[in-house]
Amino acid sequence: MAVDHLARRLARGVASILSPECEWLDNLSVSRVLQGDVHCRVCTSPLVRNVLDLGVVPLANAFLEEKDVPLELSFPLGVRACATCGLAQLTHLVDPEILFRHYLYTPSASTTWVAHCEELSTWIRQRTRAETPFVVEPASNDGCLLRAIQGWAPRVLGVEPARNIAELAVAAGVPTLPEFFSAETAATIRRDHGAADVIVATNVLAHVPNMLDFLDGVRVLLGGTGIAVFEAPYLRDLVESMAYDTIYHEHVSYLSVTALERAFALAGLTLTHVERTPVHGGSLRFVGRVGGSADDTVARFIADERALGYADGHALEGFSDRVNDLRRRLKGLIDTLQADGARLAGYGATAKGNTLLTTAGIGRSDLRYIVDRNPLKRGLLAPGTHIPVVDQSRIESDPVDVLVLLAWNLAEEIMDQQRQFAARGGRFLIPIPEPRLV
Ligand code: JHZ
Ligand code: ZN
């Protein structure tokens, strides 16, 4: 990326944080989220609970070239929670144009995720009544899920703001609109293609600053008997499994069912069903419809959240201390291994891995390199730590004793694939929920 282009993007990013006049912030109809002026993006109550302050860190997916290192910017990363509806959200937002217009993450690099897409596709098919359904996927990435869905629904449309990734999807045969999904985009799609029978949105609702506008778009686009299926990381799993590294600037909300039910109602949708799915360290799968009624899962989740303190953010008390303790223990374990002469590298150039490394003070002198099989990330440096991202062959040519699993959510798949490394005596360090060597 040309230096002046990067500089412009970064300058816009700073402006979007500091300036209330910034265009995209003006578009937030529900909340104006600025430093010192933080309201819940669902219920608009003031956010009174400080949950966590992770300092000032670079953007977790902003892998960069060596020459761009002097231009790298960092942004405050903190979480507050709403005592009224239980939503947890970031204290500072970065312009989605900067975060998502050019993207390096593609889920197809993980066999686990591809298998998950097959399962989700079947799950949706079983709940769809339309004979030739029209399926729309906001944030469709490289079309991984829609490719599975095309097996039973020939009419699909992806909506993906990352232009480089949308091109990959189109090349793979998945029609894709290179846009952010919003109420406005939804109205255009409905006008041009008709109502959707299915909307499926995985790992995007928590990424959207204006969640209510996104849900409004779902309502606008969904036909009367249509079904909207979502997946998003669950706040309860984040806290219980100490997945604090999944907190980064892309993830602006941390969702509970209590907050979701309220958001759906405000957008004119009914939250009709909720269940848990293990992906990404623990997520919710949930369904929205226009009209209709909830099954008993919704009330059950909400009752549990009330009992456990997730309905009013109580459950997040003490989380900060536990995170600080985990950070110290992880760094301590890595220091001890190095003192014993072990050589270490990372596996999985993940967004969360970058949060983990930068916030635990683990750097280039600790990890020689990070292996990743996604070609878009290779040859670049990890944000903040500037550890080089390399391909898997490096494990053979420049051997290490310990691989730190930065993609700990995919530990099984990676350890299975790295059996030879283990057979040679190599060990894996799994950092979350508790740093441990296997
Ligand atoms: P993975 C992404 O987070 C970003 P990340 C995003 N913001 C989001 O919300 C979550 O997903 C849900 C590599 N890998 O899925 C591929 C191998 O190299 O944990 C990926 O780069 N070899 C959208 O970045 C990375 O690991 C392997 O054998 O935290 C996994 O990234 C396998 C299995 C993976 O997401
Ligand atoms: Zn709220």
Side-chain angles (χ1 to χ4, degrees):
M1 185 186 301
V3 173
D4 60 336
H5 177 53
L6 183 72
R8 265 201 312 277
R9 279 181 56 188
L10 293 175
R12 274 211 318 270
V14 175
S16 70
I17 282 186
L18 300 179
S19 162
E21 276 78 48
C22 181
E23 202 183 301
W24 76 273
L25 271 176
D26 281 347
N27 288 338
L28 293 181
S29 57
V30 180
S31 58
R32 292 176 58 79
V33 187
L34 293 167
Q35 201 166 352
D37 174 19
V38 183
H39 290 85
C40 173
R41 71 171 52 88
V42 170
C43 77
T44 71
S45 304
L47 296 176
V48 290
R49 291 189 194 283
N50 283 322
V51 176
L52 187 63
D53 180 356
L54 289 172
V56 179
V57 299
L59 303 178
N61 261 321
F63 292 85
L64 69 174
E65 292 177 34
E66 188 90 53
K67 68 179 171 50
D68 293 329
V69 166
L71 288 169
E72 186 175 51
L73 286 184
S74 295
F75 299 87
L77 183 62
V79 177
R80 290 196 186 132
C82 175
T84 307
C85 78
L87 186 82
Q89 67 182 52
L90 288 189
T91 51
H92 296 75
L93 301 187
V94 175
D95 188 341
E97 289 282 339
I98 290 173
L99 292 172
F100 300 119
R101 274 297 183 196
H102 183 85
Y103 209 51
L104 299 177
Y105 173 76
T106 51
S108 305
S110 144
T111 311
T112 307
W113 184 259
V114 175
H116 178 72
C117 287
E118 288 293 341
E119 184 275 327
L120 176 56
S121 162
T122 306
W123 195 92
I124 296 169
R125 183 183 193 177
Q126 287 163 352
R127 286 158 182 80
T128 309
R129 276 178 247 147
E131 289 221 337
T132 50
F134 175 40
V135 181
V136 179
E137 185 186 10
S140 48
N141 202 286
D142 59 3
C144 186
L145 175 61
L146 284 180
R147 275 200 303 278
I149 290 178
Q150 277 175 323
W152 54 270
R155 276 199 329 135
V156 304
L157 180 65
V159 185
E160 171 52 55
R163 297 189 182 103
N164 61 319
I165 303 285
E167 275 173 23
L168 295 179
V170 171
V174 178
T176 303
L177 200 62
E179 290 300 340
F180 286 97
F181 185 82
S182 63
E184 197 184 336
T185 322
T188 309
I189 297 172
R190 183 158 185 153
R191 189 195 62 212
D192 295 346
H193 302 269
D197 302 293
V198 176
I199 296 176
V200 55
T202 70
N203 295 304
V204 61
L205 199 58
H207 295 59
V208 187
N210 197 339
M211 197 197 316
L212 294 190
D213 179 70
F214 186 99
L215 290 173
D216 209 31
V218 169
R219 182 185 49 74
V220 165
L221 182 55
L222 210 55
T225 56
I227 175 174
V229 179
F230 301 81
E231 284 183 357
Y234 188 20
L235 176 62
R236 187 175 160 190
D237 285 316
L238 188 162
V239 172
E240 288 179 354
S241 63
M242 290 305 293
Y244 90 90
D245 54 346
T246 60
I247 295 170
Y248 46 89
H249 296 96
E250 290 180 15
H251 295 167
V252 300
S253 301
Y254 301 88
L255 300 167
S256 61
V257 178
T258 311
L260 280 172
E261 193 204 31
R262 192 146 179 172
F264 273 50
L266 285 168
L269 290 167
T270 310
L271 180 66
T272 59
H273 174 82
V274 187
E275 58 187 70
R276 286 169 103 157
T277 165
V279 289
H280 289 297
S283 296
L284 292 170
R285 179 179 292 176
F286 46 103
V287 174
R289 292 179 188 272
V290 180
S293 53
D295 64 20
D296 57 359
T297 56
V298 177
R300 230 180 308 131
F301 268 87
I302 290 176
D304 285 351
E305 287 179 1
R306 202 164 292 146
L308 292 165
Y310 287 95
D312 63 0
H314 246 99
L316 303 170
E317 280 169 14
F319 184 60
S320 175
D321 291 341
R322 290 198 286 138
V323 167
N324 290 337
D325 191 44
L326 172 58
R327 295 200 269 181
R328 270 194 300 273
R329 273 180 296 125
L330 177 60
K331 176 67 175 140
L333 177 55
I334 287 179
D335 287 346
T336 307
L337 286 165
Q338 296 225 87
D340 290 347
R343 289 150 55 102
L344 280 73
Y347 196 114
T350 55
K352 58 184 160 294
N354 293 327
T355 313
L356 190 79
L357 299 177
T358 48
T359 61
I362 299 161
R364 209 165 169 159
S365 59
D366 300 306
L367 304 187
R368 305 171 65 80
Y369 51 81
I370 300 173
V371 171
D372 199 287
R373 71 178 177 202
N374 173 353
L376 299 179
K377 292 180 184 172
R378 288 203 301 256
L380 297 174
L381 305 178
T385 58
H386 309 144
I387 301 169
V389 182
V390 300
D391 73 41
Q392 285 156 297
S393 65
R394 186 74 172 262
I395 300 175
E396 311 292 326
S397 63
D398 182 7
V400 289
D401 306 293
V402 178
L403 283 174
V404 181
L405 293 191
L406 301 171
W408 49 261
N409 50 316
L410 303 168
E412 259 177 52
E413 179 180 343
I414 292 169
M415 292 196 303
D416 187 48
Q417 174 211 108
Q418 291 298 323
R419 279 190 306 264
Q420 282 194 346
F421 166 79
R424 286 197 307 267
R427 285 181 298 169
F428 301 98
L429 194 168
I430 302 180
I432 302 286
E434 167 75 36
R436 65 193 168 99
L437 282 169
V438 292

